[in-house]
Amino acid sequence: MTDLHQIALKIVSNGKGILAADESTGTMTKRFDAINVESNAENRLKFRETLFSSSGMKDYIGGVILYDETIKQITNNGINIPDLIKSSGSVVGIKVDSGAKSLAGSAEEKVTEGLDGLRERFKEYYKLGARFTKWRAVYNITENFPTTLAIKSNAHALARYAALAQEANIVPIIEPEVLMDGDHDINKCFEVTSEVLKVCYEELYLHNLDLKGTILKPNMILPGSSSSSKTSNDEIANLTLKCLKMNVPEEVPGIAFLSGGQSEIEATKNLNEINKINDTNFLITFSYGRALQQSTLSYWGKNQDDFANTQTVFNHRAKMNSLATSGNWIENKDKIII
Ligand code: 13P
């Protein structure tokens, strides 16, 4: 087994998933504004350090995706953040894209940038302890979007990023996110996500990726967030699995879903339904940002010195999602008492 394959498996096996804590400073400022906390480097560290030192890390979190600022920070106890994450047996990850920018040729759509100097940046991040990485492409669903241009350019960038990551001995997370915004129904999401994934894997093949040393981070197949159509969790799970089976090569060891704006409970429930059925060989888990941090962030906003209970809230959410990786989550037991 190659090293990259082993690392990929370590991140997504044994009921573990990924904590996506790689919000850019701009996004983190929005999150902090909502809880009336000043967004400065010290407060961002304080919140993230609280998550990374919680007891739930050991059992439920196989990898943490960091932002450039965080991977270079040192805790109040003098431990650097990568070492803190490694101390609970979790793998250190780093987001390396520099964001989605207007796509020349179809200016209302986005293409993700960040390839310039990436080979050198990977070398630096490897030295800092990173063993996996993330690049996110975004696609909007409207009557005319996504265009073939947006699908192809993003797939090309994802493949070039992923090839550079593997060259640096780092596992790439491939994240093509079809956004939930819009009033489209679930079938439209299925159709667009299928095309996006198909084209991504064509490009990954072309760039000679070792797919066993990658992780896919897709969206679930869901109706648009302003759609009026009713969809059951069972339908979501079945269409999501159908889409993966049709478009994702079997060598890919793990699928770690993004939450994409679903509530914490929805994200857990849908993951649970998917794993109750999972008739694939993929290990299917979570790589949640908002759906792992929302309740913790809101508790911490009101109780900034209550380190212990903030961690209790985080541990609970991480445990619930871990249960969902084996289809063993039970909705009426998803309660937390502080
Ligand atoms: P969400 O789970 O909040 O969608 O974030 C995941 C992520 O890493 C987006 O790039």
Side-chain angles (χ1 to χ4, degrees):
M1 199 188 292
T2 64
D3 288 355
L4 291 180
H5 184 41
Q6 237 162 346
I7 294 168
L9 287 177
K10 181 174 174 188
I11 297 170
V12 297
S13 304
N14 302 318
K16 293 186 185 182
I18 299 169
L19 166 61
D22 59 319
E23 299 86 356
S24 64
T25 300
T27 302
M28 213 49 190
T29 301
K30 276 190 222 147
R31 306 264 192 273
F32 275 23
D33 285 351
I35 55 164
N36 290 317
V37 173
E38 190 190 337
S39 178
N40 54 39
E42 194 186 333
N43 284 340
R44 290 191 290 272
L45 174 65
K46 194 172 164 199
F47 177 67
R48 286 167 163 160
E49 185 183 334
T50 306
L51 303 183
F52 306 159
S53 52
S54 63
S55 61
M57 287 282 298
K58 189 168 69 58
D59 295 322
Y60 314 126
I61 305 296
V64 179
I65 317 173
L66 298 172
Y67 184 58
D68 180 73
E69 173 184 79
T70 324
I71 199 170
K72 295 168 181 164
Q73 280 177 319
I74 295 174
T75 69
N76 285 325
N77 298 327
I79 308 168
N80 67 53
I81 290 288
D83 285 345
L84 175 62
I85 290 167
K86 283 187 265 175
S87 70
S88 59
S90 191
V91 183
V92 177
I94 182 76
K95 182 239 290 292
V96 294
D97 66 67
S98 53
K101 307 286 159 62
S102 171
L103 171 64
S106 182
E108 286 170 65
E109 294 187 279
K110 300 272 169 68
V111 63
T112 301
E113 295 188 350
L115 290 170
D116 285 356
L118 188 53
R119 178 175 274 135
E120 288 67 38
R121 286 164 59 217
F122 272 138
K123 281 188 193 141
E124 185 198 351
Y125 286 135
Y126 189 92
K127 278 193 206 138
L128 290 169
R131 294 295 178 269
F132 78 105
T133 180
K134 177 191 118 172
W135 178 288
R136 171 176 176 255
V138 292
Y139 311 83
N140 251 306
I141 298 185
T142 68
E143 222 175 292
N144 303 317
F145 299 152
T147 58
T148 305
L149 174 64
I151 294 175
K152 284 203 169 177
S153 356
N154 275 300
H156 175 81
L158 269 167
R160 285 188 56 201
Y161 136 84
L164 284 165
Q166 289 197 334
E167 184 187 272
N169 274 317
I170 296 180
V171 171
I173 290 193
I174 320 290
E175 184 180 6
E177 175 175 5
V178 177
L179 297 168
M180 267 173 79
D181 306 337
D183 59 5
H184 53 273
D185 65 11
I186 192 167
N187 295 319
K188 180 73 182 175
C189 178
F190 176 88
E191 187 191 305
V192 171
T193 306
S194 294
E195 180 64 12
V196 162
L197 291 177
K198 181 172 86 65
V199 176
C200 276
Y201 282 102
E202 283 167 6
E203 282 290 325
L204 292 167
Y205 272 122
L206 192 62
H207 287 77
N208 297 319
L209 263 286
D210 166 16
L211 293 181
K212 282 184 190 289
T214 65
I215 294 170
L216 175 67
K217 176 164 174 165
N219 50 283
M220 294 175 186
I221 304 301
L222 299 164
S225 49
S226 47
S227 161
S228 51
S229 62
K230 285 243 175 302
T231 313
S232 69
N233 299 98
D234 187 55
E235 191 177 1
I236 291 168
N238 277 303
L239 280 179
T240 302
L241 286 164
K242 184 175 171 192
C243 182
L244 296 177
K245 284 185 279 190
M246 279 170 54
N247 300 294
V248 183
E250 283 181 8
E251 304 99 283
V252 174
I255 311 281
F257 287 107
L258 58 94
S259 58
Q262 299 179 71
S263 70
E264 287 186 340
I265 297 290
E266 273 172 334
T268 307
K269 191 174 191 163
N270 284 327
L271 180 64
N272 192 59
E273 290 301 317
I274 291 168
N275 276 307
K276 272 207 255 172
I277 304 169
N278 189 2
D279 52 356
T280 72
N281 288 325
F282 304 127
L283 288 156
I284 300 188
T285 187
F286 55 91
S287 175
Y288 292 164
R290 285 163 284 181
L292 260 180
Q293 297 183 56
Q294 233 159 284
S295 48
T296 312
L297 195 57
S298 106
Y299 183 86
W300 179 74
K302 294 180 217 109
N303 310 273
Q304 281 176 55
D305 294 320
D306 186 354
F307 189 70
N309 280 324
T310 301
Q311 293 188 328
T312 304
V313 179
F314 176 70
N315 289 336
H316 173 75
R317 205 66 250 139
K319 181 176 179 183
M320 293 300 107
N321 284 305
S322 174
L323 286 169
T325 66
S326 52
N328 285 319
W329 173 79
I330 297 169
E331 185 160 15
N332 63 20
K333 292 202 174 146
D334 191 335
K335 292 194 179 78
I336 179 164
I337 300 155
I338 290 177

